[in-house]
Amino acid sequence: MYNLREIKKIAVLLFVRNAYEELKHKALIKGESSKNVLLFKYLNKRIVNTVKDTDYNYFIIDSSQQHGRTFAERFKNAFKSIFQAGYDAVISLGNDTPQVNSKTLHDVVDHFEHNDVVVGKTNLGGAYTIGLTKYAFSKCSFEAVDWRTSHVVESIEERAIFQGSSFVQLDEVYTELSTHNDLNLFLQQLLTKHIRLEDDTFFLSLISKPNHFDNYPQLQMDIILHGVTEIRGSPSFI
């Protein structure tokens, strides 16, 4: 098993689709293709800026650079390309969990001191981050993980233990954005202060009644009683 003294080079893998590819697979804002593209561009830009706030090298591997017939093959090949560049550990991040921040990366690195596999879990059972040491990657069977299900994290843990890699899950469970309902839930959590972001301006701009923003008590009551039923795109984002 690796320890932190042996892990001298750590890189971050941003495994994402570009905004137009993302549009083919999900619609967070109903019936609004252009607004979805703006949202996906924002999410991609946000995760890149998050990594830029740290000292870690990062690699953006988007749809045009991913190779393989299945998601498992493409994901594995992305990790492999970075390990082949001489890194001792790789931390993957997606773009669909806006609560991920620079602390997330530091937490994963801290856990590498005693663990080969570090995972952060979403509310849907997916993984918002997966950190692997070179040792863990050499033994990992990506094809055996139940990707695209609500059992991703449990599946990774089972495989890690089976293959002799030490495993730990981060304490924080973050909200994943995969559907319109997910975005509705996220906005409700944001507005009722169940979750907090360093910058929530863009997401607040998605609510159809921005005049309510100065009256949080009333807005919170509206959310509790009625939910966020209308979402609009942000015309100011480029």
Side-chain angles (χ1 to χ4, degrees):
M1 178 175 59
Y2 279 75
N3 60 51
L4 191 58
R5 289 189 300 275
E6 295 170 316
I7 301 176
K8 298 179 180 179
K9 295 183 65 177
I10 298 173
V12 179
L13 162 63
L14 300 179
F15 190 79
V16 298
R17 301 186 186 105
N18 65 51
Y20 297 97
E21 282 294 319
E22 196 80 282
L23 184 62
K24 297 177 183 178
H25 298 272
K26 61 175 73 170
L28 300 183
I29 302 173
K30 290 182 178 179
E32 297 284 355
S33 296
S34 61
K35 293 175 183 178
N36 275 290
V37 168
L38 289 175
L39 175 55
F40 296 141
K41 285 183 176 180
Y42 170 80
L43 291 171
N44 281 343
K45 182 177 181 180
R46 183 195 173 280
I47 197 63
V48 171
N49 287 339
T50 295
V51 182
K52 283 183 177 180
D53 286 339
T54 71
D55 295 327
Y56 301 111
N57 293 336
Y58 64 94
F59 297 81
I60 302 173
I61 300 183
D62 65 16
S63 312
S64 65
Q65 300 166 302
Q66 296 170 11
H67 305 289
R69 293 179 296 104
T70 66
F71 173 83
E73 289 180 357
R74 293 190 294 273
F75 200 30
K76 179 179 180 178
N77 287 334
F79 270 94
K80 182 179 179 180
S81 66
I82 299 176
F83 279 119
Q84 287 179 335
Y87 289 90
D88 303 310
V90 176
I91 303 169
S92 72
L93 294 175
N95 67 351
D96 56 358
T97 46
Q99 291 159 275
V100 168
N101 54 45
S102 58
K103 181 180 179 297
T104 303
L105 292 174
H106 296 312
D107 287 345
V108 174
V109 172
D110 288 344
H111 280 296
F112 278 148
E113 184 171 1
H114 300 292
N115 297 276
D116 300 303
V117 181
V118 185
V119 176
K121 187 176 183 178
T122 75
N123 63 314
L124 301 180
Y128 60 81
T129 185
I130 300 175
L132 299 176
T133 63
K134 200 168 191 177
Y135 171 81
F137 179 77
S138 71
K139 301 171 72 65
C140 183
S141 174
F142 278 68
E143 293 77 9
V145 174
D146 295 330
W147 306 109
R148 311 293 192 185
T149 73
S150 61
H151 305 289
V152 173
V153 174
E154 288 81 357
S155 180
I156 292 173
E157 180 177 10
E158 290 175 2
R159 298 307 306 175
I161 294 172
F162 178 77
Q163 293 160 182
S165 298
S166 51
F167 172 93
V168 67
Q169 179 181 320
L170 299 180
D171 293 334
E172 295 83 2
V173 175
Y174 288 154
T175 300
E176 177 181 338
L177 304 183
S178 293
T179 68
H180 175 78
N181 288 338
D182 296 334
L183 181 57
N184 249 331
L185 172 63
F186 179 79
L187 293 174
Q188 290 181 43
Q189 293 174 323
L190 185 63
L191 292 167
T192 56
K193 303 299 182 70
H194 285 87
I195 61 175
R196 295 179 183 274
L197 298 179
E198 293 180 2
D199 183 5
D200 59 9
T201 305
F202 179 83
F203 289 103
L204 290 179
S205 75
L206 297 177
I207 307 297
S208 61
K209 297 181 179 180
N211 57 302
H212 281 189
F213 294 165
D214 294 331
N215 187 358
Y216 263 92
Q218 181 60 49
L219 182 56
Q220 290 175 2
M221 184 60 66
D222 290 345
I223 294 301
I224 293 170
L225 292 177
H226 307 295
V228 181
T229 57
E230 296 182 30
I231 300 174
R232 64 178 178 83
S234 172
S236 61
F237 176 71
I238 298 177

